[in-house]
Structures are given as structure tokens and as C-alpha cells.
């Protein structure tokens, strides 16, 4: 089964995303798209409680967007303290539901050694994951910086990065496979390897970064998994949520799921989709 996670920037577009077929929402603060999404307010979660929304809600925990200069996701002790408090406030709000599949999305990096190599801040991430339990936790796109420095064929390096992520306790990773969009040849090749490693560790990979209806078929083929996969797209067109784009993505993912199911149950048979379900490439 292939699924679509839609990040929303404030609760106003939640109903549109759900109607379009989103399988999960990532809640960010209103107007924070340009910053890559930052922590929403408690008020912005009020209309997305289990009594009104049935699909899972993932809360972005990010105190600020990228700095004007330097590496993103490296935070000061004060900023980390804010992240800790935000997690506690959402947990104690009574508006999240473990059974619904709710959780948090965050990531913290640090510099290591005399050369200042950027690595995952294991101590802080482990503490944040522990604080967030029993809710599920996804490593945000800080992971892109960890993967982008690896050679395409260096399985051992990718294994070490994944081992660190697992050791922190993360249940999933949102990533494009490296710097830039997921659809670039280098990132897509790396994503395929990351997905296979993640399956061994039972870690969910959410493919994000430039995911659109025009490239979704290529992405699905590139990261094909045993159980399907998750894809993350804001579905914004001209800065506004586009229900049509969301619908096209959902339709393409449904078609890919049907095709995969058909190939598993009847591998020798080709399945011809009706025109409205066919995935068009390059558009």
C-alpha cells in the first residue's frame, strides 16, 4: 500500500487534504512554509482532535527555520529546551491519540571533532524521543544532510547512519535521500538503498522533497518496497494548497498499489488500468 502524507501549514487546509485522500497530516505553524515548517501552536491543533479527524496527525517540533548562514538543525541549549517543553505541552493537551497513530517530527544535528563534521545529535534526539513516548517519532529532513555526504555505493556508511537513527529510537525518517529533491538520480538511487536498509530495521521511510504528481511514478519505482511506502508532498501550487494536485497524487499511488498487488498475486499477468488511473510520466 502506497500512502500520502500531506504537511499542512495551519489547520485551515486540513479538511481539503483529507477530502483529497491524504492518509496522514503533518501539522506546521500557519505561514511557516517558507521556513520549512515550524512548531504549531496548541490552538492550531484544536480542530484536528480524534473526535473530528480520523487520520493520524504528526506535530512538527522545530523552534525556527534555517539560519541565514551555517548548517540547519543545529540548535542552542535554549532552543532544545523549547523543543522539550513543546513536546510536553502537546502530550499533556489531551488532543493527541496514540491509537490514531499521532506523533512528532523533529531532528537535531551537531558538529563533531576538530573538522566539525555534521552528525546526528544522538544524545538530544534520544532524549526527545523518550520524552515523546508513547507517541511515534520521525526524524525530520535533518537526515538529508547525513545521507548527502555518502557515496552512492557505500553501503557501510549508510548502514552506520541508519544504525544511529535506530539507536535514537526513531520510528521513521522523512528524507529526500540527500541534498535537493528526491527525484534526482543520485538521491533516488540512494533512497532505494536507504529504504532496503530501513526495512531490515523496521523503520518507516517517508520520501519527501519535490514530490509531485509528475514524478511520483518514477519515485515509486525507485524506492519500491515489500510493503509499499509513504510519500510526502505539500501539494502547493502558486503557494496555495491544490486539491487537484493532491487528488492526482493519491490516484497515482492507488494505481501503483493496485499494480503492485497484481504483480504479487499474478506475476505473469499485465494489468491494464483504465485511462483515468494511468500514471502519466513527465507531466
Amino acid at each position: 500500500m502506497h500512502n500520502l502524507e500531506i504537511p499542512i501549514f495551519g489547520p485551515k487546509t486540513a479538511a481539503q487534504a483529507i477530502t483529497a485522500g491524504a492518509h496522514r497530516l503533518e501539522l506546521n505553524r500557519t505561514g511557516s512554509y517558507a521556513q520549512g515548517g515550524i512548531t504549531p501552536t496548541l490552538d492550531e491543533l484544536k480542530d484536528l482532535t480524534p473526535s473530528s479527524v480520523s487520520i493520524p496527525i504528526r506535530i512538527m517540533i522545530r523552534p525556527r527555520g534555517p539560519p541565514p548562514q551555517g548548517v540547519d538543525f543545529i540548535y542552542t541549549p535554549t532552543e532544545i529546551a523549547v523543543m522539550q517543553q513543546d513536546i510536553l505541552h502537546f502530550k499533556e493537551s489531551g488532543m493527541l491519540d496514540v491509537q490514531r497513530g499521532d506523533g512528532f517530527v523533529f531532528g537535531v544535528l551537531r558538529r563533531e571533532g576538530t573538522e566539525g563534521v555534521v552528525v546526528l545529535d544522538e544524545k538530544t534526539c534520544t532524549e526527545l524521543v523518550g520524552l515523546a513516548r508513547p507517541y511515534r517519532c520521525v526524524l525530520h529532513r535533518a537526515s538529508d544532510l547525513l545521507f548527502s555526504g555518502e557515496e552512492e555505493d557505500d553501503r557501510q556508511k549508510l548502514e552506520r547512519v541508519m544504525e544511529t537513527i535506530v539507536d535514537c529510537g526513531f520510528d521513521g525518517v522523512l528524507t529526500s535521500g540527500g541534498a535537493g529533491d528526491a527525484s534526482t538520480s543520485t538521491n533516488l538511487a540512494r533512497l532505494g538503498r536507504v529504504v532496503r536498509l530501513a526495512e531490515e530495521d523496521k523503520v518507516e521511510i517517508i520520501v519527501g522533497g519535490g514530490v509531485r504528481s509528475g514524478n511520483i511514478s518514477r519515485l515509486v519505482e525507485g524506492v519500491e518496497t515489500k510493503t509499499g511506502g509513504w510519500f510526502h508532498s505539500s501539494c502547493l501550487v502558486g503557494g496555495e494548497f491544490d486539491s487537484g494536485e493532491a487528488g492526482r497524487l493519491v490516484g497515482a499511488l492507488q494505481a501503483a498499489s493496485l499494480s503492485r498487488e497484481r504483480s504479487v498475486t499474478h506475476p505473469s499477468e499485465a494489468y491494464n488500468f483504465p485511462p483515468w488511473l494511468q500514471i502519466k510520466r513527465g507531466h
Side-chain angles (χ1 to χ4, degrees), residues 22-44:
H23 302 98
R24 188 165 68 203
L25 300 178
E26 176 196 272
L27 179 62
N28 299 266
R29 184 172 298 187
T30 301
S32 68
Y33 175 74
Q35 297 169 274
I38 62 174
T39 308
T41 65
L42 284 174
D43 281 346
E44 290 175 313

Side-chain angles (χ1 to χ4, degrees), residues 194-226:
V194 169
V195 165
R196 287 188 287 276
L197 288 171
E199 282 185 327
E200 297 173 10
D201 295 314
K202 295 181 170 55
V203 173
E204 180 181 272
I205 298 296
I206 305 109
V207 177
V211 175
R212 293 291 182 269
S213 58
N215 61 22
I216 189 64
S217 60
R218 181 168 179 263
L219 291 171
V220 168
E221 291 173 3
V223 298
E224 184 61 50
T225 67
K226 297 176 183 177

Side-chain angles (χ1 to χ4, degrees), residues 11 14-16 18-19 25 43-57 94-97 100 102:
Q16 291 175 273
I18 293 169
T19 300
L25 300 178
D43 281 346
E44 290 175 313
L45 180 61
K46 285 182 179 178
D47 293 331
L48 305 178
T49 59
S51 62
S52 56
V53 173
S54 61
I55 64 174
I57 304 294
M95 293 186 284
L96 295 177
D97 185 0
R100 183 171 63 171
D102 294 347

Side-chain angles (χ1 to χ4, degrees), residues 2 213 216-217 220 247-257 277 279:
H2 297 294
S213 58
I216 189 64
S217 60
V220 168
R248 288 188 292 274
L249 274 166
V250 171
L253 290 172
Q254 288 175 340
S257 296
L277 263 184
I279 303 174

Side-chain angles (χ1 to χ4, degrees):
M1 177 69 178
H2 297 294
N3 302 287
L4 178 64
E5 175 181 86
I6 296 181
I8 57 174
F9 300 88
K12 289 185 178 180
T13 55
Q16 291 175 273
I18 293 169
T19 300
H23 302 98
R24 188 165 68 203
L25 300 178
E26 176 196 272
L27 179 62
N28 299 266
R29 184 172 298 187
T30 301
S32 68
Y33 175 74
Q35 297 169 274
I38 62 174
T39 308
T41 65
L42 284 174
D43 281 346
E44 290 175 313
L45 180 61
K46 285 182 179 178
D47 293 331
L48 305 178
T49 59
S51 62
S52 56
V53 173
S54 61
I55 64 174
I57 304 294
R58 298 291 168 85
I59 306 295
M60 175 64 72
I61 300 295
R62 191 180 184 200
R64 58 161 171 80
Q69 294 182 332
V71 177
D72 197 6
F73 302 104
I74 295 180
Y75 299 116
T76 66
T78 299
E79 289 171 330
I80 291 171
V82 169
M83 295 172 75
Q84 293 170 335
Q85 292 212 342
D86 286 338
I87 288 174
L88 287 176
H89 288 158
F90 279 105
K91 281 184 65 177
E92 294 167 357
S93 70
M95 293 186 284
L96 295 177
D97 185 0
V98 173
Q99 298 304 317
R100 183 171 63 171
D102 294 347
F104 296 96
V105 183
F106 54 82
V108 183
L109 303 176
R110 65 180 178 86
R111 290 193 180 277
E112 180 178 71
T114 56
E115 296 183 359
V117 177
V118 176
V119 298
L120 190 65
D121 188 335
E122 293 181 66
K123 181 178 181 295
T124 300
C125 286
T126 301
E127 290 174 351
L128 291 174
V129 168
L131 198 63
R133 292 299 185 214
Y135 296 97
R136 298 177 69 81
C137 296
V138 171
L139 175 62
H140 188 37
R141 290 188 61 185
S143 57
D144 295 348
L145 296 174
L146 304 175
F147 292 134
S148 62
E150 315 300 346
E151 297 299 326
E152 285 188 54
D153 60 350
D154 197 336
R155 179 184 173 90
Q156 290 185 338
K157 288 184 179 180
L158 290 177
E159 285 178 344
R160 285 197 292 272
V161 172
M162 285 304 304
E163 285 173 6
T164 304
I165 291 170
V166 171
D167 288 344
C168 289
F170 284 108
D171 302 289
V173 181
L174 170 62
T175 182
S176 62
D181 289 345
S183 59
T184 67
S185 298
T186 299
N187 283 355
L188 188 53
R190 191 184 291 116
L191 270 170
R193 280 182 279 276
V194 169
V195 165
R196 287 188 287 276
L197 288 171
E199 282 185 327
E200 297 173 10
D201 295 314
K202 295 181 170 55
V203 173
E204 180 181 272
I205 298 296
I206 305 109
V207 177
V211 175
R212 293 291 182 269
S213 58
N215 61 22
I216 189 64
S217 60
R218 181 168 179 263
L219 291 171
V220 168
E221 291 173 3
V223 298
E224 184 61 50
T225 67
K226 297 176 183 177
T227 57
W230 280 90
F231 296 84
H232 177 101
S233 176
S234 63
C235 304
L236 296 181
V237 175
E240 299 292 333
F241 181 78
D242 188 314
S243 296
E245 171 66 4
R248 288 188 292 274
L249 274 166
V250 171
L253 290 172
Q254 288 175 340
S257 296
L258 288 170
S259 179
R260 181 184 177 280
E261 181 180 344
R262 185 73 179 183
S263 67
V264 170
T265 56
H266 301 285
S268 62
E269 297 180 19
Y271 189 85
N272 295 316
F273 292 107
W276 63 273
L277 263 184
Q278 289 178 2
I279 303 174
K280 296 182 180 180
R281 302 173 185 271
H283 297 285

